[in-house]
Amino acid sequence: MGEGELVGYFKLKHDIQNDSELPLARAEVESSIGAGVEEVRNAADVLVDELRFLMDRRLRIHDRICWHPYPGALEGFLTRGLEPSPELLEAIRRLSYFREVYLAWERDDDSPAEDMRLRPGAGGSEVSLDPLTTLYRLEGGRCLRVVPDQAAYEFSDFVCRLARDDSDVERMFRAGLRHLRVGVKRAYSAESARLFKTIEDFMDDRRAPQLYLTHWFFGIRGKFFPRMIRAAMNLMGLREGDLVLDPFTGCGTLNVEASLMGIRSVGVEVNPLLAMVSRVKVRALGADPSEVSKLISRVEEELRSRPAADRRSLEEALSRLPERLASRVRRGSLAVVVRVLEISQSVGDPDLSDFLKVPLAYWMRSMLTKQAPEKAISTYLDHLKRMWFALRFLQLYRENVRPIEPAKAEVIRGDSTRLREVLRQVPGELRGPFDGVVTSPPYLAAIDYVGNQLYSLYVLGLTSDHLAVDRETLGSMRGSRSREWSESALDSLPEDVRDFLLWLRPGRPKMSAALLRYFLGVLRVFKEIGEVLRPGGRVTWVIGAEQVMRVRGEGRRLPVADWMTELASQVGLEPEVRFDVHLAKSSERGAIPTESLVVLRKP
C-alpha cells in the first residue's frame, strides 16, 4: 500500500447463496468503480499484508472486517489506487452483493473523505457521518466504512413479516440499523430456534431476503431476484437519470429497483393483473404513509360495520366467473371480496384504489375456495397492514438515513412483440432511446402465468376471457393450437431450435406449436429491442440455462440460454458475457437449477 493511496476492501454479504454468484459480484463492483479488483479468500490476509494499521486494539476495526463473512470460496475483493470522489461514494452505496465497504488510506488527514463531500468535522476517533457511514481516525491513517443502501433495505423483508404494529416497525428498524452499524461479537440464534429470536437473528441468517420494501406486496413463480437485478444494472453501467426497459415486467422487480436507484424505467406486461400489481409497487414508493394509514383504518372500519356485499352484487360477481371456477367458490367469502372491491372503488385516487386490490390479487384463490368469510377478512387486512409496514420502513429510512426520491416509472399493459407501438402510451421522455434493457422472458412452458391467477383476473374485472390473455402470453399451452404450425416459419430460427421443434412435433403437436410461437415471439421482441435501444446500450437477458423435456420416455436437454443468445445475434445484438447462477429455482414442471444472465450489446 503506497503512502496516501486509497485502498478499498469490498466485503461480500454473508447470505450469498453459493459461489456461482461470485463472478457476478465481481463484475458488479469492477463496473461500478471503474477498476479491477483482486479476490480475497480471507479478510485476515488483507489486514496482515495491506492494511495492518487498521488493527487498532482500541477501535478494533478488524473485528468488523472479519465478522460473519460469506462462508464460500471468497470473503471479498480488494482494489488499490481509487480516486476519492462523490461518484465513488455513490457507486458504493448502490452496490448489491456487498455487506460493507472499507476505504482506507495511510495519512493523518480527512481529505479523501472531504473529496467525497463528507463532512467529518474535528475531533473524535470514531465519527458517525450517517447511520451507514463511519469514519475511523487511527494512528497513521484513516478508514471509512460504508454500508450500501440495499443491505439496509433488505431487512425490511423480515420487519414486514414479524411486525404487529407501527411500534414494532420502528423498534425493529432502529435495531436493524444499529446492528448494521455496530453488530459484532454477538451470538445469534440458530436457524432452527423458533422462540425469542430478534430482528438481528434474521438479518444474520444465511437465507437471503428477497421481498423487501414494495417487493413484499406480491410475487410470482420465477420472479427476479432483486439483488441480482440491481447487480445487473450496476455491471451494465446504468446511472442515475438513465432510462431502462423491461419488456416482460412481470411483477415489477426491475422497475422497483430502478426507481430506488434513481434510474427511470418502463415496464411492459401482457398480463393485466401483473401490470396492475407492478404499477402499485412502483407508485407506492412515492406514497404518503400517513395517508395510506388513514385509508387502511377506513377500510377496516367499513369492513367491520358491513363485511359482505348484498345479494345482487354477489350474483353479478358470480356471473363473471366461468362455471368451473364458480362451482368451487364459497359464496360467503366471495361476498367479502366483493365488499372490499366496493370500498376500493369508492376511493377517488385510482392508485390507492389499486393498492387496496393487491391483497385480493395475492390471496384470491385461497380466499374464495378455502377460507371462511371471517378468515378472508383477517387475511386481507393482515396483508394490507404489512404492505403499509413496507411504506413505513421506507419513510423511516428517508427520515433517519438519507432522502430517497424514486425515479419515474411507467408500467403499461401491452404485447412486447409490438414494442414500438406499445411505447406510444408512455410520456415522451420515457419512450426512448433506452440506455439498457433488463428482462426475463417466460420460461418456455414451465410456468402457467395465467392459470395461477384465474380467480384474480375475473373477480377484479381484468378480463372476461382468460384465453385471450393466454393467447398473448408467449409459451402458453392454452393459448396455442396444434394446427398453428408453419414449416416455413422454422427457417427464421437457429438450426438447433428447428431440430428440437421437429423432434417434438410428432409426440407433442400442441407443445411444438406453442414453442414455435414462443421462439418466433422472442425473436420479434429482440428485433423491437434493437430498434429502441441506443447504440452502445446493453441488454441483460435472464433465463433458465437449460430445461429437460421428455417425449415418449425420451428426454432431451434444451440449452435455452444458448438459443436465446443465437436469436439475439440474428438481430445484431452482440453477446458480451454470461453468468450462470445456481439458484435451484423451482417451477410447476420441475426444477430449473441454473439461471443465466446473458449480457448483450447493441453496436
Side-chain angles (χ1 to χ4, degrees):
M1 179 178 182
E3 185 176 353
E5 183 181 39
L6 186 62
V7 174
Y9 175 60
F10 297 80
K11 179 180 175 180
L12 290 161
K13 288 177 176 174
H14 68 282
D15 55 8
I16 291 173
Q17 295 191 45
N18 56 61
D19 290 351
S20 68
E21 292 187 82
L22 299 182
L24 179 57
R26 179 171 187 163
E28 178 196 19
V29 69
E30 289 185 330
S31 178
S32 295
I33 65 174
V37 297
E38 300 173 11
E39 296 179 348
V40 176
R41 295 177 62 184
N42 191 307
D45 297 338
V46 174
L47 291 166
V48 172
D49 298 338
E50 300 276 348
L51 303 174
R52 184 178 290 272
F53 78 95
L54 294 185
M55 291 194 286
D56 179 297
R57 294 198 177 187
R58 181 172 51 93
L59 293 178
R60 302 197 66 84
I61 301 173
H62 49 293
D63 288 350
R64 303 176 189 277
I65 292 175
C66 295
W67 178 79
H68 210 29
Y70 168 62
L74 304 175
E75 292 187 4
F77 300 98
L78 180 75
T79 190
R80 304 173 188 83
L82 290 170
E83 290 293 328
S85 67
E87 291 75 22
L88 174 63
L89 180 61
E90 180 60 26
I92 289 170
R93 285 174 169 167
R94 291 157 54 96
L95 289 172
S96 174
Y97 273 103
F98 299 88
R99 172 74 174 248
E100 52 204 4
V101 176
Y102 294 86
L103 301 176
W105 58 97
E106 282 193 276
R107 200 168 71 225
D108 286 327
D109 69 69
D110 301 338
S111 57
E114 293 166 353
D115 290 341
M116 288 181 257
R117 294 185 186 165
L118 296 171
R119 298 290 177 262
S125 57
E126 183 175 338
V127 183
S128 178
L129 305 177
D130 65 48
L132 300 179
T133 310
T134 306
L135 177 68
Y136 301 96
R137 295 184 172 116
L138 308 101
E139 289 187 17
R142 300 286 188 270
C143 180
L144 186 70
R145 176 178 180 263
V146 183
V147 178
D149 287 329
Q150 201 205 32
Y153 296 158
E154 285 185 324
F155 79 88
S156 67
D157 183 333
F158 308 123
V159 173
C160 290
R161 296 175 191 272
L162 299 171
R164 293 166 296 180
D165 53 36
D166 178 38
S167 64
D168 281 346
V169 176
E170 185 164 352
R171 173 179 56 80
M172 286 190 274
F173 172 83
R174 299 193 185 284
L177 270 190
R178 184 177 186 279
H179 187 54
L180 288 172
R181 191 170 67 251
V182 300
V184 296
K185 299 298 182 184
R186 177 184 178 277
Y188 48 90
S189 297
E191 182 179 343
S192 57
R194 300 188 64 184
L195 301 175
F196 311 114
K197 293 176 78 169
T198 65
I199 188 66
E200 296 92 334
D201 294 319
F202 288 91
M203 292 171 68
D204 292 341
D205 195 276
R206 277 278 295 136
R207 284 183 289 184
Q210 299 189 42
L211 301 177
Y212 53 87
L213 299 181
T214 60
H215 294 305
W216 199 92
F217 290 5
F218 190 98
I220 57 174
R221 294 176 183 270
K223 73 180 291 294
F224 273 154
F225 189 20
R227 180 183 294 179
M228 185 188 298
I229 296 317
R230 177 176 283 248
M233 286 191 281
N234 282 330
L235 73 88
M236 292 166 66
L238 295 175
R239 298 291 182 261
E240 185 173 346
D242 284 347
L243 180 61
V244 66
L245 169 70
D246 185 348
F248 299 102
T249 207
C251 55
T253 303
L254 178 279
N255 304 98
V256 171
E257 284 301 304
S259 287
L260 291 170
M261 297 170 73
I263 299 169
R264 299 170 301 148
S265 69
V266 174
V268 178
E269 174 54 49
V270 73
N271 185 312
L273 177 71
L274 299 182
M276 181 199 79
V277 167
S278 298
R279 278 194 298 272
V280 170
K281 285 184 175 184
V282 292
R283 292 178 181 176
L285 292 172
D288 181 349
S290 61
E291 291 300 314
V292 175
S293 179
K294 292 175 185 176
L295 176 63
I296 293 173
S297 296
R298 172 190 156 188
V299 171
E300 185 169 9
E301 182 180 340
E302 292 195 28
L303 267 182
R304 299 299 183 194
S305 63
R306 185 162 72 87
D310 59 34
R311 183 182 182 86
R312 178 179 176 182
S313 299
L314 174 62
E315 294 300 328
E316 287 179 359
L318 271 174
S319 69
R320 292 195 293 268
L321 286 169
E323 184 177 349
R324 69 179 183 85
L325 298 181
S327 64
R328 300 179 58 199
V329 165
R330 295 185 175 208
R331 296 172 71 93
S333 300
L334 178 59
V336 168
V337 169
V338 174
R339 175 64 181 141
V340 171
L341 287 174
E342 290 174 348
I343 297 170
S344 72
Q345 288 159 4
S346 70
V347 177
D349 186 325
D351 290 341
L352 291 177
S353 177
D354 285 344
F355 183 91
L356 296 179
K357 296 173 185 175
V358 170
L360 295 180
Y362 189 89
W363 290 103
M364 186 72 77
R365 182 166 61 178
S366 176
M367 284 179 173
L368 295 186
T369 63
K370 298 178 181 178
Q371 297 183 13
E374 298 79 9
K375 175 64 175 174
I377 291 173
S378 65
T379 296
Y380 174 79
L381 292 175
D382 182 73
H383 194 95
L384 192 63
K385 177 175 63 176
R386 296 185 189 282
M387 289 169 60
W388 181 79
F389 289 165
L391 303 187
R392 175 62 175 143
F393 184 100
L394 188 56
Q395 180 185 40
L396 289 167
Y397 193 91
R398 288 186 171 113
E399 293 171 354
N400 293 276
V401 182
R402 66 180 58 90
I404 301 169
E405 189 63 39
K408 287 184 179 180
E410 287 288 335
V411 179
I412 52 177
R413 186 182 178 231
D415 180 356
S416 289
T417 64
R418 301 191 301 273
L419 193 56
R420 285 170 290 174
E421 176 186 330
V422 171
L423 289 173
R424 294 173 189 160
Q425 301 176 45
V426 303
E429 70 272 18
L430 297 180
R431 290 180 189 168
F434 291 88
D435 299 292
V437 176
V438 182
T439 196
S440 179
Y443 284 70
L444 296 184
I447 299 175
D448 188 350
Y449 295 94
V450 177
N452 290 336
Q453 309 293 343
L454 288 181
Y455 283 101
S456 297
L457 285 165
Y458 280 106
V459 175
L460 297 180
L462 297 172
T463 189
S464 58
D465 179 11
H466 70 276
L467 292 177
V469 181
D470 264 314
R471 283 190 286 273
E472 294 182 293
T473 302
L474 294 183
S476 170
M477 286 287 290
R478 281 190 304 272
S480 301
R481 297 177 178 84
S482 59
R483 64 177 179 272
E484 295 174 338
W485 173 264
S486 169
E487 295 281 347
S488 60
L490 291 171
D491 294 338
S492 60
L493 300 177
E495 183 179 355
D496 289 348
V497 179
R498 293 199 303 270
D499 290 346
F500 159 67
L501 292 174
L502 290 170
W503 168 82
L504 183 65
R505 181 66 180 170
R508 302 186 70 176
K510 185 174 181 180
M511 174 72 79
S512 64
L515 294 184
L516 173 61
R517 192 169 68 92
Y518 174 86
F519 286 113
L520 292 174
V522 167
L523 182 60
R524 286 196 296 272
V525 173
F526 273 131
K527 289 178 180 176
E528 292 287 312
I529 287 173
E531 294 294 330
V532 300
L533 186 66
R534 67 166 175 81
R538 290 179 169 85
V539 178
T540 295
W541 196 266
V542 184
I543 192 71
E546 59 181 32
Q547 291 178 229
V548 176
M549 188 164 292
R550 298 187 180 278
V551 177
R552 298 188 301 272
E554 181 185 355
R556 185 153 177 173
R557 195 169 296 276
L558 315 181
V560 181
D562 292 341
W563 292 349
M564 292 291 172
T565 305
E566 290 184 59
L567 288 168
S569 298
Q570 285 188 193
V571 301
L573 296 173
E574 300 173 348
E576 281 196 331
V577 65
R578 170 173 159 178
F579 303 93
D580 288 337
V581 179
H582 307 305
L583 294 178
K585 296 177 68 171
S586 62
S587 73
E588 289 186 344
R589 301 191 181 192
I592 302 176
T594 302
E595 193 93 282
S596 290
L597 285 79
V598 181
V599 182
L600 311 155
R601 182 180 181 276
K602 178 179 176 179

